[in-house]
Every structure is written in C-alpha cells, then in structure tokens.
Amino acid sequence: MNIRLNGQNVTLPQIATISGLLAHYKLQEKILVVERNGEIVDRSAYEQTPVMDGDTIEIVHFVGGG
C-alpha cells in the first residue's frame, strides 16, 4: 500500500489500522497525535480507524526538553 506519511510518499506492507501503523514504526507507546486525511484521530479510535491506500497521515510526537 502507498500512503503519504509526514509529507513523504511511502510504500508499506498491508496495514489495517492506525494502531497497526504505529506498531509498524514502533510508536505505539509514544505521546503523539495522528491526523488522517486532515482530521485528527482520537486515540481511543486508533484500533478502529482504517489506513487506506492513498491516505495522507501525519504523526506528530512530542519531545521533552528545555
């Protein structure tokens, strides 16, 4: 499948959900925000929100520091 992830076109194995996408990138334990096709996905919906070929996904994770 092909998606646009954080401004880059990427080819991924078949990934069914946002939760699967985060697991693929080992980000499931991070504090982050996911936007799918211009809409923020509620964290409680990651398991049910599909990732479809052609989607545009933005993943923003927070980094602490001063």
Side-chain angles (χ1 to χ4, degrees):
M1 74 185 315
N2 297 303
I3 65 171
R4 189 155 179 89
L5 179 63
N6 290 354
Q8 303 283 324
N9 293 324
V10 296
T11 300
L12 299 170
Q14 190 64 35
I15 291 175
T17 63
I18 295 294
S19 183
L21 180 66
L22 296 177
H24 179 79
Y25 285 103
K26 300 180 178 18
L27 294 172
Q28 65 269 42
E29 301 298 324
K30 303 283 185 185
I31 297 172
L32 47 79
V33 174
V34 177
E35 183 183 281
R36 177 178 175 254
N37 298 329
E39 294 192 19
I40 293 175
V41 179
D42 189 278
R43 185 176 195 85
S44 64
Y46 288 175
E47 290 283 335
Q48 296 83 34
T49 303
V51 176
M52 309 290 283
D53 195 50
D55 276 355
T56 297
I57 307 285
E58 297 287 333
I59 299 173
V60 178
H61 63 94
F62 301 96
V63 178

